[in-house]
Amino acid sequence: MKKLLLATLSASALMAAQPLAAKTLVYCSEGSPENFAPSVNTTGTSFDAGAQIYDTIVQFERGGTKVLPSLAEKWDISADGLTYTFHLRKNVKWQSNKSFKPTRDFNADDVMFMIERQWKEDNPYYKVTSSNHSYFNDMGMPKLLKSVEKVDDYTVRITLNQPEAPFLADLAMQYAGVQSKEYADAMLKAGTPEKLDQDPVGTGPFYLVQYQKDAIIRYKAFPDYWAGKAKIDDLVFAITPDASVRWAKLQKGECHVMPYPNPADLDAMRKDANVQILEQPGLNIGYLAYNTTKKPFDDVRVRHAINKAINKKAIIDAVYLSSGIPAINPIPPSMWSYNETVKDDPYDPEAAKKELAAAGYPNGLEIDLWAMPVQRPYNPNAKRIAELMQADLAKVGVKAEIKTYEWGEYRKRLQAGEHQTGMFGWTGDNGDPDNFLHTLLGCDAAQNNGGNVAKFCYKPFDDLVVKAKRITDQAEREKLYRQAQVIFKEQSPWFTIAHAIQLKPIRKEVKDFKLSPFGRHTFYGVDIAK
């Protein structure tokens, strides 16, 4: 509680201390970032913290999925789809901090460093902070990239081993945030390479002023930002893990934007004249992953039996209320290629018992059931869902022990495959089905500590999603992805829980805040009425 109070006081004091002319926006964020290393982070919490500071070479339009220029002002793609030549923007300034004052503008060396840090094991920064570059590895980048060349100071050429339909969109994702090579070299020479990821500088619209874990992140608008100074002067992340406390602070005007409201608070929010709720279908999925490499979940019959034992409708009615829809496929219904003909396993406890008996478990079995300790965009209350699942499973003779860990530890252990079953989820990063079907369920992501926490590596499925990456005809890709969803349901590496609706309560004085289809929170372009 002391930490929550500190965050509240810090944010409130900051707002009170600003000169009358300054504009301060306070965002009640849900947690602390892992660090400020784009290449090793995997959570929206960390991406939100870093996205204020770092740019990517291409970017998504605000509130959309269209890829636009950013640090690269234009690019050329060869006729065979294998070579991408990026023409970089000139006169882009780097931020500075107490440890580093840049002597040059952004250039090709920085783009080379961004890629090589994740790709080349002999790069001195490959293991700094973490050697697990999850996104880069899960998307198969090490095998995809043939060469990356600095043509001149403002031109970079990337050559692929085979065509990759979502490649441009992949480069707009947060793992590809560009860090300063000059800063990296200076910190390496000083013997403090970790400072690059702890005390960041970027080319983005805001620079970091202060970070106090579990309390506050303070940013200021970067006056030399290449696209023009932000409309707000100060940006504060008041770190507030409890959704009820976030709502109380929003009501009092102690923060202006909050993520992930409690579904039970929505009626009160809609009645508050000072608050508006922005809403759109969520590009997300919440699920229970079965570890397909461990008994009993290496048997597809057991996976289907557990699916039939759990009352999905009761979970959504009790936990999501009006803010979620039942998930059948691993991609949301709003995404192109969604296969509406796939049928879900019905809730049928008697059938579940028979299938367990047929699989060799006539007297039931004991399993673990991992539940996240935190609220996520795709899951408002994993502990409560676990309790409901536990009660359902007991009715078919399955004794489930609920386990949880601190959020960072939970993800690490889940990705390492320590669980039998574990709740997890995903919010899309780039609007392409590949970002769900290959990144979460492909063999590339199962063979390292990556995003495929079911450790599901099934060749008929993998062949389809890999083939779909390598062709550019969207109609052909759609056919392949629709087939892949049929196989997914037949194999059932997950119990698909729900797709959460994206709901964002904001104060009425906030202007031009746009919902990101990817659930990100960025504040460049946002204004606040005085």
Side-chain angles (χ1 to χ4, degrees), residues 206-499:
F206 297 95
Y207 65 90
L208 182 70
V209 175
Q210 176 197 5
Y211 171 44
Q212 187 171 344
K213 187 173 166 55
D214 298 331
I216 199 165
I217 313 175
R218 291 179 53 203
Y219 306 86
K220 276 192 175 293
F222 181 36
D224 296 324
Y225 184 50
W226 60 266
K229 184 177 175 292
K231 294 175 183 175
I232 55 174
D233 301 292
D234 294 276
L235 173 63
V236 179
F237 280 29
I239 298 168
T240 314
D242 188 310
S244 299
V245 178
R246 292 198 293 273
W247 167 224
K249 289 162 80 167
L250 192 79
Q251 285 175 285
K252 295 175 193 169
E254 291 175 2
C255 66
H256 302 102
V257 179
M258 67 166 279
Y260 320 133
N262 273 335
D265 290 333
L266 290 171
D267 284 346
M269 290 177 177
R270 290 190 170 106
K271 291 173 184 169
D272 191 316
N274 295 314
V275 172
Q276 61 174 318
I277 300 179
L278 305 180
E279 184 172 335
Q280 71 181 21
L283 201 69
N284 61 47
I285 173 84
Y287 57 86
L288 178 73
Y290 302 128
N291 188 334
T292 59
T293 64
K294 280 189 176 179
K295 288 188 178 302
F297 296 102
D298 56 346
D299 188 332
V300 69
R301 295 173 298 177
V302 173
R303 302 197 293 264
H304 278 291
I306 300 298
N307 281 359
K308 291 174 182 175
I310 298 172
N311 188 339
K312 186 179 297 187
K313 183 179 185 302
I315 288 172
I316 290 167
D317 289 348
V319 180
Y320 289 83
L321 306 179
S322 60
S323 68
I325 59 170
I328 298 170
N329 291 323
I331 63 173
S334 57
M335 179 166 270
W336 64 269
S337 82
Y338 183 84
N339 191 336
E340 68 292 336
T341 68
V342 172
K343 297 288 186 280
D344 210 1
D345 278 322
Y347 171 55
D348 189 341
E350 289 307 312
K353 286 181 192 175
K354 289 176 184 172
E355 290 185 28
L356 284 172
Y361 301 97
N363 302 314
L365 69 158
E366 295 186 7
I367 62 169
D368 63 31
L369 173 55
W370 290 30
M372 288 101 66
V374 292
Q375 186 182 19
R376 300 307 301 147
Y378 45 77
N379 187 326
N381 190 336
K383 182 174 182 290
R384 180 68 184 128
I385 292 175
E387 290 165 352
L388 293 168
M389 288 179 170
Q390 184 184 50
D392 285 342
L393 293 170
K395 294 172 189 171
V396 301
V398 176
K399 183 180 179 183
E401 180 189 357
I402 297 172
K403 290 186 175 182
T404 194
Y405 300 91
E406 178 274 326
W407 181 221
E409 189 70 13
Y410 181 92
R411 291 194 316 277
K412 184 179 174 183
R413 287 172 177 258
L414 203 68
Q415 289 177 324
E418 293 183 19
H419 60 296
Q420 284 178 302
T421 76
M423 263 186 264
F424 216 36
W426 187 254
T427 299
D429 296 290
N430 64 10
D432 196 289
D434 169 75
N435 184 238
F436 285 75
L437 297 172
H438 182 260
T439 303
L440 302 182
L441 292 158
C443 291
D444 281 331
Q447 291 168 354
N448 57 51
N449 290 336
N452 185 344
V453 296
K455 305 304 171 189
F456 176 67
C457 181
Y458 186 63
K459 192 172 187 302
F461 177 91
D462 199 61
D463 286 349
L464 288 170
V465 298
V466 169
K467 184 178 178 183
K469 287 163 71 74
R470 294 179 182 172
I471 55 178
T472 54
D473 184 309
Q474 187 161 318
E476 287 301 310
R477 295 184 75 208
E478 179 150 351
K479 287 179 191 172
L480 296 169
Y481 286 137
R482 287 175 70 89
Q483 291 173 43
Q485 288 164 75
V486 171
I487 294 175
F488 166 86
K489 210 64 188 181
E490 288 170 353
Q491 291 297 311
S492 285
W494 300 346
F495 173 77
T496 49
I497 303 172
H499 306 290

Side-chain angles (χ1 to χ4, degrees), residues 21 46 88-89 108 127 160 169 183 204 292 366 379 392 398 429 508 512:
S46 295
L88 306 179
R89 199 177 293 278
K127 293 183 179 178
L160 310 181
Y183 182 29
T292 59
E366 295 186 7
N379 187 326
D392 285 342
V398 176
D429 296 290
K508 287 271 176 79
D512 300 324

Side-chain angles (χ1 to χ4, degrees), residues 63-93:
T65 59
K66 184 180 179 183
V67 177
L68 300 175
S70 180
L71 292 177
E73 56 186 358
K74 60 182 180 177
W75 54 86
D76 307 310
I77 306 173
S78 63
D80 60 8
L82 294 176
T83 303
Y84 290 71
T85 304
F86 294 95
H87 305 280
L88 306 179
R89 199 177 293 278
K90 295 180 180 177
N91 301 314
V92 172
K93 305 300 178 189

Side-chain angles (χ1 to χ4, degrees), residues 96-251:
S96 62
N97 61 26
K98 290 177 184 175
S99 304
F100 172 68
K101 300 292 182 280
T103 65
R104 64 162 175 81
D105 292 348
F106 157 80
N107 67 24
D109 292 334
D110 304 310
V111 177
M112 298 292 291
F113 174 66
M114 178 271 290
I115 295 172
E116 290 182 348
R117 172 178 191 179
Q118 306 180 62
W119 185 28
K120 303 287 189 183
E121 293 189 25
D122 60 355
N123 185 285
Y125 273 87
Y126 183 82
K127 293 183 179 178
V128 173
T129 302
S130 170
S131 61
N132 186 15
H133 304 284
S134 269
Y135 269 84
F136 193 81
N137 294 329
D138 290 356
M139 294 188 297
M141 288 285 181
K143 289 189 289 188
L144 176 66
L145 296 178
K146 184 177 182 180
S147 64
V148 180
E149 305 162 77
K150 174 185 171 181
V151 178
D152 59 41
D153 279 350
Y154 292 96
T155 312
V156 172
R157 182 182 297 126
I158 300 176
T159 304
L160 310 181
N161 282 310
Q162 65 266 332
E164 175 88 353
F167 185 65
L168 262 185
D170 288 347
L171 289 177
M173 290 160 52
Q174 286 298 315
Y175 80 94
V178 178
Q179 295 177 293
S180 164
K181 173 72 160 58
E182 186 186 16
Y183 182 29
D185 288 346
M187 293 304 98
L188 194 65
K189 187 177 179 182
T192 55
E194 67 284 349
K195 274 196 175 182
L196 180 74
D197 301 329
Q198 296 171 0
D199 192 7
V201 302
T203 58
F206 297 95
Y207 65 90
L208 182 70
V209 175
Q210 176 197 5
Y211 171 44
Q212 187 171 344
K213 187 173 166 55
D214 298 331
I216 199 165
I217 313 175
R218 291 179 53 203
Y219 306 86
K220 276 192 175 293
F222 181 36
D224 296 324
Y225 184 50
W226 60 266
K229 184 177 175 292
K231 294 175 183 175
I232 55 174
D233 301 292
D234 294 276
L235 173 63
V236 179
F237 280 29
I239 298 168
T240 314
D242 188 310
S244 299
V245 178
R246 292 198 293 273
W247 167 224
K249 289 162 80 167
L250 192 79
Q251 285 175 285

